[in-house]
Amino acid sequence: CSIAFENEPDEAGLMDRPPRSGNSEFFGTGEIMTGLLSGGVLLAAVLGIYFASLGEGHTEKEVRALAFTSLILCNVGFILSSLSRSRNALQVLGEHNSSAKIILAGALLLLVAALGIDYARELFLFEVPEWHHFLTPVAGAVGVVTLFEWRKAYLNRKKTRRPHSTSMETGQ
């Protein structure tokens, strides 16, 4: 994933932002809390789909396949949403970043292989339920991406409303 992030085009207005304070932490509490919250959202989505699938009466192997599908799809959605702070996931997908597209296509191809190739299915102990049951993991991934995009939009609006002051302007 780091290859995809490094190959991503620069954010609009990047050079218009004031520099970060020399005293600020590079990887501080805020970043750690954001990571934990993001991971918690992904975990909640996968567990929700897992327990919903159990409740629908699927076999253990079908539940495993549906939970694995939701894990992959939610992570792909999270990556798309995280590639930009100013553009949404669909805009990111439409941009020319071949590394990101190759990585995301590879993840989806491996998912299809794990579900579609007999040997892989036996290795992962999967059974493939009817196709319409895969709508639940897709809906879960769309919900996760929507949540992350709403958060991104909220933070961007919050930044535009806040007046910018740099340490040079305040004399500190």
Side-chain angles (χ1 to χ4, degrees), residues 33 35 50 52 66 73 78 85 94 109 140 163 168-169:
M33 294 308 292
Y50 174 84
L66 292 168
L73 295 180
F78 175 68
R85 291 184 179 177
L109 184 63
M168 306 249 332
E169 293 171 350

Side-chain angles (χ1 to χ4, degrees), residues 87-107:
R87 299 176 314 273
N88 66 44
L90 292 176
Q91 290 169 326
V92 167
L93 193 57
E95 291 179 349
H96 181 70
N97 183 343
S98 56
S99 299
K101 289 178 181 174
I102 289 169
I103 290 168
L104 297 175

Side-chain angles (χ1 to χ4, degrees), residues 36-145:
L36 288 173
L37 179 64
S38 299
V41 168
L42 292 173
L43 176 64
V46 173
L47 286 176
I49 290 165
Y50 174 84
F51 286 115
S53 298
L54 279 176
E56 291 174 353
H58 290 283
T59 67
E60 178 185 339
K61 291 180 177 184
E62 288 175 337
V63 170
R64 188 178 294 114
L66 292 168
F68 183 75
T69 300
S70 68
L71 177 66
I72 299 299
L73 295 180
C74 286
N75 274 307
V76 164
F78 175 68
I79 290 168
L80 283 173
S81 183
S82 299
L83 279 173
S84 174
R85 291 184 179 177
S86 61
R87 299 176 314 273
N88 66 44
L90 292 176
Q91 290 169 326
V92 167
L93 193 57
E95 291 179 349
H96 181 70
N97 183 343
S98 56
S99 299
K101 289 178 181 174
I102 289 169
I103 290 168
L104 297 175
L108 295 175
L109 184 63
L110 289 173
L111 172 62
V112 170
L115 295 171
I117 298 172
D118 290 337
Y119 177 76
R121 236 186 354 260
E122 290 173 20
L123 181 68
F124 285 102
L125 300 175
F126 289 160
E127 282 179 8
V128 180
E130 294 180 24
W131 70 269
H132 66 276
H133 293 288
F134 286 98
L135 295 176
T136 305
V138 169
V142 168
V144 164
V145 171

